[in-house]
Amino acid sequence: MDALIVIFVSGIVAMFIAMTHKPLLVLATALVGLSVGIGLMVNQWYNPYLLFDYNGLAFGRGEVIYSVAAMTFALLIIAGGYTYFKREPEHTGEYISLILFSLTGALCMIGYTDLFMFFIGLEILSIPVYVLAGSKKKDLQSSEAGLKYFFTGAFATGILLFGTAWVYGATGTFDLRELSNILSEGTANGPLLFVGILMMMASFLFKVGAAPFHFWGPDVYAGSPNIITGYMASVVKMAGLYAFLKLFTYVFAPVSDLWSGALFGMIVLTMFVGNLSALRQTKFKRLLAYSSISNAGYALMAPMIISDASLFNLWIYLLGYGFAVIALIVISLIVNDESDDIESYKGIGRKNPWIGFVLVLSVLSLAGVPPLAGFFGKYMVFSSAFATYPILVILAVINSGIGVFYYLRFVMVALSSEDAEQAPVLKPCVLQWGVLAICAIGLLLSGYITL
Amino acid sequence: MELFAIPLVFALIALVAPKSKVNYVGLIGAVVSMVVSFIHVANFSPDQYVSLFAPDFMLPFGLTFKMGYDGIGLFMVVLTNVITSLILLSNLNREIAHNRAFNALVLLMQFGLLGVFTAMDGIMFYIFWELTLVPIFLISYWFGSADRKKPLMKFFIYTFVGSLAMLLSFMALGTYSNSFAYEDLLAAQLTAKTAFWVMCGFFLAFAIKIPLFPFHTWQPDTYTVSPMAGTMLLSALMLKMALYGMVRWMIPIAPEALDTLSCLVITLGMIGVVYAAVIAIKQSDIKRLFAFASISHVGLIAAGIMLFNKDALAGAFIQIANHSLVALGLFLAADILERRMGTRNMYDMGGVAKLAPKFGFWFAAVAFASVSVPLTSGFIGEFLLLKGVYNYSWIVGLVAGTTLVLGAVYTLRAYQISMFGAPKMEHFADLTWNEMLTFFIIMLIILVVGIYPQAIIDFVGPSLDLTIESVKGAKVIVQ
């Protein structure tokens, strides 16, 4: 809870400091705020008596690990995107503080114990991202991305609210604990509740970009500034998927017969839509968008399994995914190519072996090659689902096989030795080197974390 | 532990060493690692199990990080180290050996292979198994011929998908056992149906890597476009991972399904033996010819392993060593011809034996070893394997026997067309000292093993006995 306040306050401070037109100072404020926030969260892990249960928010151990990961990702995003933010010094503060505000929302979405707080968190998370998606004002695609994300997002929020209302109507409470008690007694079961749950599920799947609610994904990802794409793929996904896990796996578990069948179907659809569409992409960010759709499909297998281990499995999965995406996004900033063609990555492994190394690590981690984090995440999610849903796991493994095709093509472009002279000269700044190094270490080691 | 550390440390040194000396860094790394493995052999008695790494913690899903070796494992470790040293030795004077990345990748590959052969935990085995894919892919991609992209894509996807099938098998096993430690997996009681599917998953991964008959389509293209060192690593070491995997993992873990699947695998192996040999006879591209020859030889080894009796397994291990050495020699000869004549087409070659007598002699020696004439290791290996399959069924024995005839036809035909006849060129540089030394060591080992095969049989024998017993025991429980 104190971390939440620190982050929100540092966002406000950053916004005011921006009036001095000193981007470096804004960056320093944000990084200090985030570091203090992470420190407070870690402290909470070691001192459980600090667990604070405000009406609607509680940070237990599960929440702490997700919050730390989300804050770390935000820190990497802000540090890695600084060269982009400072290009327009008068707007630097806005970018950075909007990201911090949105992160506040993400933390609310992670720590909620009340559907009401969850809704507020979702809005605080989403509205800054709508603005950020359209922040390249002179770029038509960016405006399109902002508008599209806003309209479809608002529609999904409406459905979520509607679903919440139905659930409230059936049970008479917003509180997760009471809700869980009522559901396990089974007194509230009926069409009112079921329709509400399904509506909530639909809007959740919209937020994480799962098929058939994925159509906004590629356009928004491709249109937004690169660094915001990275933010959406890492932090927003983490918050959305954890909120989903908390609500469905732990609260709606007694009625899992109702929603698990629907989720099963949508996971299969998501994986195939994501992977098959990614096969023919020639633009980097669209490739990333479809890969993120298919990854959402794999990640959604964790909430299917009603078990305490699901929480940790999903976390490891999202951790590996987040590091890989952030590394790729920072590399795309370094390459800095307007056309965003995959071909523009040609030969960067030759030109700058270290960047090539991180790129290969992150793509292979996305493809699930051991011993990288992506492999462990996939393995843990898949293997825990194997006993209950073997067919689903087999389909997911087939999809991983399809995925290798486009990931490998990307690696081959990046490592190709032909025309290496034409490869762009890359000048990453110190901060970006730092971010890439942290991502590489994360990709190599985070699979071995045990708690 | 030093067994793994040495290749890794030298790989890092190779990344920063000056270009003119980096070839020696690579070679020294491989040789030092070979010497260390010899020390392990000297301190080893064949009936013991040596644990290299056994931490007392494990990851939540059951990964225990256990590493160790018994006779089979150590045999493969030594083979890996010897073959890697020979590969680097044969490349020593080439331009490719002065590339830092090349040396580092070969050593990384060696590291991965050592891990595969000493992993005593299912997931560790999988991790190392996949780890070897990355360096070999990069070696072939960076240093291969111009038309390499499509075959390499095919190779990577084929093998990766195969490995995913193996991963599925491990996931299924995970639901039957507490951890992935080898002994826990052995103790897991599978139903006949589960065992069948688990074995199918393993089989798909191994059949693609070996490659067995219907899964072989990636192999000739990939061998052809890879640089010499890549082809050598693929044929001499990578496919041995799969044969080893069959003995160590596939059959002992799911022995209940052995009888169901052995007929299928033996049939596929036999089809491969004849089919690949016939195609090899029709080839004009010398590298492709040896690629098909390789499919033909390993089909018989795979069939022998599925019999799972002591003679056939001992034959299989002798043949594993023999095939590694022979493949190394043949691909080296093919590469020397390609490099110095600028073509892989045998019909554009000729008369080399006159121009380069030393090369002619050593190529002939390796060719004879490939045909398994008596006194070479191939003779003992193939004899034991053929005896095994003949006892299984005389028809299979008869089909397998054709390998001797057909093998002689394509190998000697290749030798005759490329080496004899009217010289097609005026000058052919003879062997350099390192190529000569490579051929010499290859032939030396082949002859030693051919004359005294009991050394290998005694070395892997006790471990094989244990494995065979555990498989038989499991079968009894099922019945």
Side-chain angles (χ1 to χ4, degrees):
Chain A
M1 186 65 199
D2 34 9
L4 197 68
I5 296 168
V6 167
I7 287 187
F8 183 69
V9 170
S10 68
I12 295 178
V13 173
M15 197 164 63
F16 282 107
I17 285 184
M19 289 174 184
T20 60
H21 292 283
K22 281 180 184 145
L24 205 60
L25 216 56
V26 181
L27 177 78
T29 319
L31 294 190
V32 167
L34 279 167
S35 313
V36 172
I38 293 173
L40 288 171
M41 269 295 170
V42 173
N43 183 34
Q44 191 153 347
W45 171 265
Y46 289 107
N47 299 302
Y49 60 86
L50 281 177
L51 292 183
F52 187 86
D53 198 351
Y54 171 74
N55 280 343
L57 272 180
F59 285 87
R61 294 212 145 179
E63 283 80 8
V64 168
I65 57 173
Y66 277 87
S67 309
V68 169
M71 285 190 277
T72 313
F73 287 160
L75 191 133
L76 293 176
I77 289 279
I78 290 176
Y82 177 63
T83 40
Y84 171 77
F85 298 142
K86 77 169 178 193
R87 255 183 245 163
E88 299 168 67
E90 67 273 23
H91 294 310
T92 314
E94 290 151 29
Y95 287 125
I96 291 181
S97 49
L98 279 175
I99 290 183
L100 288 174
F101 293 152
S102 165
L103 179 67
T104 314
L107 294 183
C108 290
M109 262 175 91
I110 288 172
Y112 75 100
T113 61
D114 190 313
L115 289 181
F116 193 69
M117 182 52 89
F118 164 67
F119 178 72
I120 292 176
L122 181 66
E123 286 301 286
I124 302 176
L125 169 85
S126 303
I127 291 171
V129 181
Y130 298 148
V131 179
L132 286 168
S135 62
K136 274 200 279 182
K137 278 167 295 212
K138 283 172 194 148
D139 183 348
L140 220 57
Q141 277 202 327
S142 175
S143 308
E144 183 199 329
L147 200 64
K148 205 169 209 166
Y149 196 24
F150 175 64
F151 278 140
T152 47
F155 193 64
T157 310
I159 290 180
L160 176 79
L161 211 52
F162 199 26
T164 317
W166 284 59
V167 171
Y168 182 77
T171 58
T173 179
F174 280 136
D175 189 77
L176 292 192
R177 246 164 279 162
E178 284 176 36
L179 206 55
S180 156
N181 288 339
I182 293 171
L183 286 181
S184 49
E185 281 163 20
T187 49
N189 288 8
L192 202 61
L193 178 75
F194 297 159
V195 171
I197 290 177
L198 288 183
M199 278 182 155
M200 290 182 83
M201 182 158 89
S203 63
F204 260 112
L205 294 181
F206 170 87
K207 284 288 168 197
V208 299
F213 310 107
H214 66 284
F215 291 97
W216 61 275
D219 288 343
V220 172
Y221 274 44
S224 309
N226 288 13
I227 197 73
I228 304 305
T229 309
Y231 181 77
M232 286 193 278
S234 56
V235 179
V236 176
K237 263 214 166 124
M238 185 147 228
L241 279 166
Y242 180 63
F244 185 82
L245 179 102
K246 197 163 163 178
L247 192 59
F248 280 77
T249 312
Y250 299 132
V251 178
F252 291 161
V255 288
S256 66
D257 290 348
L258 171 75
W259 53 266
S260 61
L263 189 57
F264 186 107
M266 281 190 267
I267 290 174
V268 173
L269 193 65
T270 305
M271 292 187 305
F272 276 102
V273 165
N275 279 314
L276 293 179
S277 318
L279 286 179
R280 296 194 63 81
Q281 298 304 322
T282 54
K283 302 279 183 189
F284 168 71
K285 275 198 288 177
R286 292 193 90 83
L287 180 74
L288 205 63
Y290 282 109
S291 134
S292 110
I293 290 172
S294 60
N295 272 290
Y298 304 138
L300 280 170
M301 286 164 68
M304 291 277 281
I305 306 304
I306 316 290
S307 132
D308 287 339
S310 294
L311 187 144
F312 182 67
N313 293 347
L314 182 68
W315 184 69
I316 290 281
Y317 186 90
L318 292 175
L319 203 62
Y321 178 69
F323 279 127
V325 165
I326 291 173
L328 285 178
I329 283 292
V330 170
I331 290 171
S332 83
L333 282 180
I334 296 170
V335 171
N336 189 23
D337 178 70
E338 277 303 314
S339 66
D340 199 34
D341 259 331
I342 288 176
E343 287 297 308
S344 60
Y345 292 78
K346 203 166 190 173
I348 70 168
R350 271 290 155 112
K351 209 76 181 172
N352 195 327
W354 289 110
I355 293 182
F357 175 69
V358 181
L359 186 143
V360 171
L361 271 193
S362 34
V363 176
L364 290 184
S365 170
L366 285 178
V369 174
L372 302 170
F375 164 74
F376 285 102
K378 256 190 192 151
Y379 183 81
M380 289 165 81
V381 170
F382 288 8
S383 67
S384 69
F386 192 81
T388 332
Y389 302 102
I391 303 288
L392 184 63
V393 174
I394 290 171
L395 288 175
V397 165
I398 291 172
N399 269 287
S400 307
I402 302 175
V404 173
F405 184 81
Y406 56 84
Y407 290 130
L408 188 66
R409 208 183 45 183
F410 186 48
V411 168
M412 283 170 98
V413 169
L415 293 182
S416 76
S417 46
E418 293 127 23
D419 319 319
E421 303 81 43
Q422 292 163 22
V425 182
L426 307 173
K427 284 184 198 143
C429 68
V430 183
L431 273 173
Q432 285 170 334
W433 272 126
V435 172
L436 287 183
I438 293 175
C439 287
I441 293 169
L443 286 170
L444 286 171
L445 297 182
S446 64
Y448 300 100
I449 296 176
T450 45
L451 295 174
Chain B
M1 218 63 250
E2 72 283 0
L3 210 54
F4 310 99
I6 291 167
L8 263 194
V9 169
F10 275 91
L12 290 178
I13 297 175
L15 279 180
V16 292
K19 276 194 172 157
S20 56
K21 293 278 177 285
V22 73
N23 49 348
Y24 292 105
V25 173
L27 181 61
I28 290 169
V31 170
V32 169
S33 159
M34 179 170 76
V35 172
V36 169
S37 66
F38 286 154
I39 296 173
H40 277 265
V41 172
N43 295 329
F44 178 77
S45 78
D47 51 354
Q48 76 185 121
Y49 166 79
V50 178
S51 171
L52 293 172
F53 187 55
D56 47 5
F57 64 92
M58 65 176 190
L59 290 192
F61 61 88
L63 170 56
T64 57
F65 298 101
K66 276 192 181 139
M67 315 279 286
Y69 57 74
D70 57 0
I72 306 175
L74 188 57
F75 175 73
M76 300 306 289
V77 165
V78 172
L79 185 70
T80 304
N81 284 330
V82 171
I83 297 288
T84 317
S85 307
L86 285 175
I87 288 173
L88 285 170
L89 176 66
S90 62
N91 275 294
L92 196 64
N93 284 342
R94 310 245 159 123
E95 177 192 357
I96 191 174
H98 291 280
N99 190 300
R100 293 186 188 119
F102 170 77
N103 286 285
L105 286 171
V106 173
L107 290 169
L108 186 64
M109 182 85 188
Q110 186 184 15
F111 167 75
L113 287 159
L114 292 178
V116 166
F117 296 134
T118 52
M120 277 292 156
D121 176 288
I123 299 297
M124 285 300 266
F125 175 72
Y126 182 79
I127 288 175
F128 281 112
W129 171 274
E130 289 292 78
L131 193 65
T132 54
L133 192 54
V134 177
I136 186 67
F137 174 79
L138 289 179
I139 290 173
S140 298
Y141 184 61
W142 277 337
F143 307 104
S145 60
D147 52 352
R148 66 196 181 274
K149 283 195 180 164
K150 267 196 172 165
L152 284 180
M153 192 83 142
K154 197 165 155 189
F155 158 66
F156 196 98
I157 289 174
Y158 247 95
T159 49
F160 194 84
V161 169
S163 315
L164 286 175
M166 176 160 73
L167 189 64
L168 271 178
S169 288
F170 276 124
M171 279 181 199
L173 283 168
T175 57
Y176 287 87
S177 121
N178 299 329
S179 79
F180 286 100
Y182 187 60
E183 58 272 18
D184 284 359
L185 291 181
L186 281 191
Q189 294 290 333
L190 307 180
T191 60
K193 203 178 155 204
T194 323
F196 175 75
W197 288 110
V198 165
M199 192 180 250
C200 281
F202 278 112
F203 175 66
L204 193 63
F206 296 152
I208 288 173
K209 209 89 159 195
I210 289 176
L212 279 181
F213 161 64
F215 308 104
H216 68 282
T217 50
W218 62 268
Q219 190 251 31
D221 292 338
T222 309
Y223 278 22
T224 315
V225 298
S226 296
M228 177 181 81
T231 317
M232 286 173 165
L233 282 169
L234 280 165
S235 66
L237 289 174
M238 242 179 128
L239 73 85
K240 305 303 184 293
M241 289 183 355
L243 294 170
Y244 165 84
M246 285 171 80
V247 179
R248 170 55 49 83
W249 296 96
M250 178 173 108
I251 296 173
I253 284 179
E256 297 88 347
L258 177 61
D259 294 338
T260 327
L261 265 175
S262 63
C263 179
L264 172 76
V265 180
I266 291 171
T267 312
L268 290 180
M270 287 308 117
I271 295 176
V273 165
V274 178
Y275 166 87
V278 170
I279 294 186
I281 293 175
K282 294 293 287 175
Q283 287 302 315
S284 57
D285 180 327
I286 195 159
K287 226 171 161 183
R288 271 185 98 78
L289 189 153
F290 291 142
F292 279 107
S294 174
I295 299 180
S296 175
H297 279 134
V298 292
L300 182 59
I301 306 182
I305 288 175
M306 285 311 277
L307 298 173
F308 223 72
N309 61 48
K310 175 123 190 242
D311 279 354
L313 281 179
F317 274 95
I318 296 175
Q319 191 62 359
I320 282 174
N322 175 60
H323 180 265
S324 293
L325 293 161
V326 166
L328 209 63
L330 288 181
F331 283 115
L332 176 59
D335 191 71
I336 289 172
L337 284 170
E338 181 189 349
R339 213 160 255 275
R340 301 189 186 164
M341 309 196 84
T343 172
R344 288 199 302 261
N345 190 339
M346 292 190 308
Y347 294 102
D348 295 341
M349 303 169 184
V352 178
K354 262 185 210 138
L355 298 170
K358 284 189 238 162
F359 176 56
F361 170 73
W362 288 110
F363 186 13
V366 174
F368 278 116
S370 164
V371 182
S372 356
V373 294
L375 285 188
T376 63
S377 52
F379 177 72
I380 309 293
E382 291 211 328
F383 178 78
L384 284 171
L385 285 171
L386 286 174
K387 188 180 132 224
V389 291
Y390 184 82
N391 287 340
Y392 175 73
S393 149
W394 65 270
I395 302 177
V396 177
L398 204 65
V399 175
T402 57
T403 181
L404 293 172
V405 183
L406 294 174
V409 173
Y410 58 72
T411 315
L412 298 180
R413 180 175 158 274
Y415 186 81
Q416 181 200 2
I417 293 175
S418 58
M419 302 299 283
F420 293 144
K424 296 261 170 73
M425 61 196 317
E426 287 170 4
H427 180 71
F428 189 95
D430 213 333
L431 296 180
T432 55
W433 68 268
N434 61 319
E435 287 163 349
M436 183 106 107
L437 189 60
T438 314
F439 275 124
F440 175 74
I441 297 173
I442 291 174
M443 282 318 294
L444 187 70
I445 304 174
I446 286 177
L447 286 177
V448 168
V449 175
I451 293 167
Y452 188 60
Q454 199 62 30
I456 290 186
I457 297 175
D458 287 344
F459 195 79
V460 297
S463 314
L464 287 179
D465 285 335
L466 275 179
T467 321
I468 292 168
E469 258 169 48
S470 90
V471 167
K472 274 191 188 144
K475 270 193 203 162
V476 169
I477 291 173
V478 167
Q479 281 155 9

